[in-house]
Amino acid sequence: MFIADRRRVNWGGYSVVDATLRLLRTALQNQRHTHFVLISAACFPISSPKITNDKIENISTGLFSIWGPIDPDLRSNEGHGRYVVSKFHPYDWERINPKRGIFFERGWKLYKNLLGKLPLERRVSIEDLWKGSQFFVASRNVAEFLAQPHPELVRTLKYALAPDEIYFNTLFVRFMREHGENVRFADPNSREQGTHFITKRVPASRTIKQKLLEPIDLRRLSAEDVGAIQNSGALFARKCSPNVSRAMIAFWKKSQDIEQKPAA
């Protein structure tokens, strides 16, 4: 379904968090819903939808990929300030968003490098913030906590880069702590990130045109990844091409045929 209360989203901006919250609050209106899953259009189930649904229903609280706390030394984080929440990153200014093209992206990289050398900081709290993958599975009680107003966290992350990778993970850590539950941490370089199988690699070769005009998509899966995807314990594969998605469907059918085949 398409919700009525929609938000135009810009890559890297707080609009991603806002839109996700609107979706979550709409889904929570149906009391029959017990689990809430955030994926993108480039994600594809590794097992059949039925098996994937069964696995999701067995998750008691949530499945999040938490990498660790935000570094209190604001100028030492990855990507020249990817998680530096005290700097001003106006990614919701759509006309200059880095996803508009390669030259906008390079301009933003220069801006972030310069920003890291300036002493100016936004007066926001950087305590108890946690980073990780933006995708998750949440049980109903966790989803209700995520959907509640958290104005201080909104203010802190309003102009952060990729706040969706901080907002929901931070709240999940706080929820688990309040309920006396332990949080499992993930290696950000691991191919299995909570809900997703994700790879990260620089292409072996690129043409001059690609180098000049096309950003590198480090996470796009290829046919050579299919075996590792099928053997992983993740629920979804991230950044699937049509060929990879078709291979996943063939894997579903093969698995169903094996299950239905009578024993000799």
Side-chain angles (χ1 to χ4, degrees):
M1 63 175 291
F2 290 93
I3 66 171
D5 184 23
R6 302 178 71 182
R7 170 70 190 269
R8 189 175 182 88
V9 169
N10 296 292
W11 180 89
Y14 184 79
S15 55
V16 182
V17 175
D18 190 11
T20 304
L21 288 171
R22 295 182 192 206
L23 287 168
L24 190 58
R25 288 164 183 159
T26 301
L28 280 164
Q29 292 173 10
N30 189 327
Q31 295 299 316
R32 295 178 302 170
H33 295 161
T34 62
H35 289 77
F36 303 82
V37 185
L38 180 66
I39 59 175
S40 78
C43 304
F44 207 78
I46 296 173
S47 301
S48 68
K50 182 183 183 306
I51 293 174
T52 301
N53 186 73
D54 291 343
K55 290 179 179 179
I56 289 170
E57 288 187 342
N58 285 326
I59 296 172
S60 58
T61 52
L63 185 57
F64 287 68
S65 181
I66 312 293
W67 298 335
I70 296 294
D71 190 339
D73 183 356
L74 295 181
R75 295 182 183 84
S76 66
N77 289 278
E78 69 173 85
H80 304 291
R82 184 173 180 85
Y83 299 112
V84 179
V85 300
S86 67
K87 298 296 187 180
F88 182 67
H89 296 285
Y91 282 83
D92 278 319
W93 292 5
E94 188 171 346
R95 295 194 175 191
I96 59 171
N97 189 278
K99 290 299 181 181
R100 292 198 65 193
I102 186 68
F103 298 109
F104 289 91
E105 181 181 289
R106 289 175 178 170
W108 270 99
K109 285 183 178 179
L110 177 61
Y111 172 75
K112 286 191 293 182
N113 274 298
L114 292 174
L115 204 60
K117 295 177 172 60
L118 296 176
L120 299 175
E121 306 281 349
R122 293 177 60 231
R123 293 186 178 180
V124 295
S125 172
I126 61 169
E127 299 297 324
D128 198 25
L129 297 177
W130 300 79
K131 58 187 176 182
S133 171
Q134 73 182 104
F135 303 109
F136 60 80
V137 173
S139 62
R140 186 170 190 91
N141 54 349
V142 171
E144 289 172 343
F145 181 73
L146 298 179
Q148 292 172 11
H150 300 278
E152 182 180 348
L153 191 57
V154 172
R155 180 179 177 275
T156 298
L157 300 179
K158 187 74 173 178
Y159 297 106
L161 165 57
D164 52 314
E165 296 180 1
I166 306 172
Y167 188 93
F168 298 102
N169 292 305
T170 293
L171 290 178
F172 182 67
V173 171
R174 293 178 183 179
F175 177 92
M176 295 292 278
R177 189 169 57 217
E178 288 177 11
H179 289 78
E181 301 280 351
N182 293 323
V183 176
R184 289 186 178 181
F185 296 100
D187 181 350
N189 297 313
S190 172
R191 292 191 298 185
E192 290 190 30
Q193 291 291 330
T195 55
H196 281 68
F197 177 96
I198 302 174
T199 190
K200 185 174 182 178
R201 57 172 174 257
V202 177
S205 62
R206 303 180 79 220
T207 65
I208 294 177
K209 179 182 177 182
Q210 288 173 327
K211 291 178 180 179
L212 291 175
L213 301 176
E214 297 178 14
I216 298 175
D217 191 344
L218 300 177
R219 301 191 184 277
R220 183 174 295 172
L221 299 175
S222 64
E224 62 192 42
D225 296 310
V226 170
I229 294 170
Q230 293 170 349
N231 291 325
S232 77
L235 296 169
F236 305 96
R238 173 83 178 123
K239 290 275 188 176
C240 289
S241 67
N243 287 338
V244 172
S245 299
R246 283 190 285 268
M248 291 295 97
I249 294 174
F251 178 61
W252 303 350
K253 294 178 178 178
K254 183 179 179 181
S255 298
Q256 289 170 353
D257 289 342
I258 293 173
E259 290 176 2
Q260 295 171 4
K261 186 177 180 180

